[in-house]
Amino acid sequence: MSDPHPLPPLKAVTLTHVRYQRGDQLGHFLAWVSLVPVFISLGGFFSHFIFRRELQGMFFALGLLISQFINEIIKTSVQQARPETCALLEMCDSHGWPSSHSQYMFFFAVYFTLLTYYRIGALFRTQMWIVGLVVWPLAVLTLYSRVYLGYHTVAQVFAGAALGAVLGGGWFWVVNNLLRCHFPAIEESAFGRMFYVKDTSHIPNVLKFEYENARAARKHVSYKRSD
């Protein structure tokens, strides 16, 4: 006798659920690569807020959230299916165009490149080698991993990458041409004072500035810890 009220199909939370063929070493490696956006979000931006509390970093993270929100709107509107290979992974309960992983990583890569090039915060132009040897290869590998593992088509990952790059560059312009002038007001707000939120993008060498001030503070009794 059939159930008159069948239960709706189950849906998984797929934040870290990535499958690959058993014995496929490249697939195993790319499965970890495809989790880079999770590591950046939870490890990078969360720890940045805890230890740095820089407005540039906060607006960087906000831009990534806006980008992912736009991605969900487009996916829901277009409703393009994932490739047939996705059925073998039992992970086809969402739409595939554009790829959110590719969009995330190319937004991150473009924004981080611009931060480094313009020497904003603790970054220096001499650190561009990090961008070239770490950030962009990770972005490209993430794009490739989504196709190799069967979660997306080539068109879906390239669409995500293109959209992410455009949004990353556009958001960088918005932050540093329209919003940055409001950073001092945020610093002086109740939120800024409570959480020690700051903007150091006007300081040419943040690391040197913090190093010298940390050394100078040792000479002042008011800055010393009480026993």
Side-chain angles (χ1 to χ4, degrees):
M1 183 176 179
S2 60
D3 188 350
H5 302 290
L7 294 174
L10 296 177
K11 186 173 181 178
V13 177
T14 60
L15 185 64
T16 60
H17 190 56
V18 182
R19 291 189 174 188
Y20 62 95
Q21 295 294 327
R22 184 185 298 273
D24 184 354
Q25 296 301 318
L26 178 59
H28 188 193
F29 169 71
L30 292 175
W32 282 103
V33 169
S34 69
L35 296 177
V36 169
V38 179
F39 300 146
I40 292 174
S41 298
L42 300 182
F45 287 110
F46 181 75
S47 61
H48 179 276
F49 178 79
I50 297 298
F51 297 107
R52 300 294 305 173
R53 309 189 189 192
E54 289 274 0
L55 283 167
Q56 279 285 349
M58 292 181 188
F59 276 89
F60 190 173
L62 177 62
L64 282 166
L65 289 175
I66 294 173
S67 174
Q68 293 304 293
F69 179 71
I70 293 172
N71 179 275
E72 288 299 321
I73 292 176
I74 295 175
K75 279 184 175 179
T76 303
S77 301
V78 176
Q79 296 187 358
Q80 185 180 103
R82 293 176 183 266
E84 294 181 359
T85 52
C86 190
L88 301 175
L89 304 169
E90 300 178 358
M91 299 290 290
C92 292
D93 54 356
S94 62
H95 304 297
W97 192 94
S99 165
S100 59
H101 282 71
S102 300
Q103 183 173 324
Y104 184 106
M105 285 305 299
F106 274 75
F107 183 110
F108 179 87
V110 168
Y111 200 103
F112 191 87
T113 300
L114 292 171
L115 278 178
T116 307
Y117 181 79
Y118 288 103
R119 297 179 295 178
I120 295 177
L123 299 173
F124 306 98
R125 196 171 295 176
T126 54
Q127 294 173 321
M128 286 295 287
W129 67 270
I130 298 177
V131 175
L133 296 179
V134 178
V135 176
W136 281 102
L138 279 176
V140 173
L141 279 172
T142 300
L143 181 148
Y144 177 68
S145 73
R146 304 308 289 171
V147 177
Y148 182 90
L149 295 172
Y151 289 96
H152 288 286
T153 65
V154 173
Q156 289 171 352
V157 295
F158 273 102
L163 181 57
V166 170
L167 290 175
W171 183 245
F172 180 87
W173 185 89
V174 168
V175 170
N176 290 282
N177 289 276
L178 302 180
L179 302 179
R180 188 171 165 182
C181 60
H182 300 292
F183 282 6
I186 298 175
E187 286 179 318
E188 297 299 325
S189 67
F191 170 80
R193 290 176 176 273
M194 178 179 294
F195 292 101
Y196 301 109
V197 171
K198 63 183 181 296
D199 171 40
T200 60
S201 57
H202 58 286
I203 301 173
N205 191 327
V206 176
L207 294 179
K208 181 180 179 181
F209 175 82
E210 293 180 344
Y211 172 73
E212 292 178 346
N213 278 273
R215 292 179 63 202
R218 293 181 184 277
K219 302 177 183 179
H220 296 275
V221 178
S222 59
Y223 286 104
K224 291 184 178 180
R225 292 177 179 270
S226 59
D227 295 332

